[in-house]
Amino acid sequence: MDYRLDARIGRMVEELAREHQQELANAGTLVDLEELTCQIGDEVARQLCQREIVGRAEQAAGQREVDCPECGEVCPAEEPEPALLQGLRGELAYNQPRYYCPRCRRSFFPGGRL
């Protein structure tokens, strides 16, 4: 990690520690403290991942037409479909872009890294 990111995370940790001061103080054992801090860390990781997935889906949905992966026909966009992924840190919800091929008579999701 570069220095700037490390410093930014340090400031976030200070803020989280102030906000959760009572809960941290009430954690009786090291295991209790680690469980609480892992829950906080998992939620930070989940939200960061959620933000990236939503951004990628919105970028893909910006294409009004894409080529069908089966026949190559140019296909129009349809309404996005709500999707829910189970990530390592919890559920990730986003709107999955969707396209329809009249020749193949099927809907498909554009290729991507989701």
Side-chain angles (χ1 to χ4, degrees), residues 14-55:
E14 290 295 324
E15 183 179 337
L16 287 168
R18 281 191 301 276
E19 291 175 9
H20 296 276
Q21 183 178 14
Q22 190 61 47
E23 294 167 86
L24 292 165
N26 290 340
T29 66
L30 176 59
V31 170
D32 294 337
L33 184 58
E34 284 185 322
E35 285 179 359
L36 175 59
T37 57
C38 283
Q39 289 172 4
I40 293 168
D42 285 351
E43 183 57 19
V44 169
R46 190 198 68 75
Q47 286 189 30
L48 187 59
C49 190
Q50 169 90 34
R51 180 182 170 96
E52 180 63 22
I53 285 177
V54 167

Side-chain angles (χ1 to χ4, degrees), residues 90-106:
E91 293 182 339
L92 306 166
Y94 69 104
N95 289 319
Q96 174 71 56
R98 187 171 56 143
Y99 298 83
Y100 180 75
C101 179
R103 179 183 287 169
C104 296
R105 298 185 347 192
R106 71 179 186 104

Side-chain angles (χ1 to χ4, degrees), residues 1-14:
M1 229 180 309
D2 78 18
Y3 172 76
R4 287 174 287 164
L5 182 57
D6 191 45
R8 174 69 177 119
I9 290 172
R11 290 189 300 273
M12 287 175 48
V13 166
E14 290 295 324

Side-chain angles (χ1 to χ4, degrees), residues 53 57-58 61 77-85 92-99 106-110 114:
I53 285 177
E58 287 174 353
E78 291 193 321
E79 284 297 312
E81 183 175 304
L84 188 64
L85 298 175
L92 306 166
Y94 69 104
N95 289 319
Q96 174 71 56
R98 187 171 56 143
Y99 298 83
R106 71 179 186 104
S107 291
F108 63 93
F109 301 117
L114 293 182

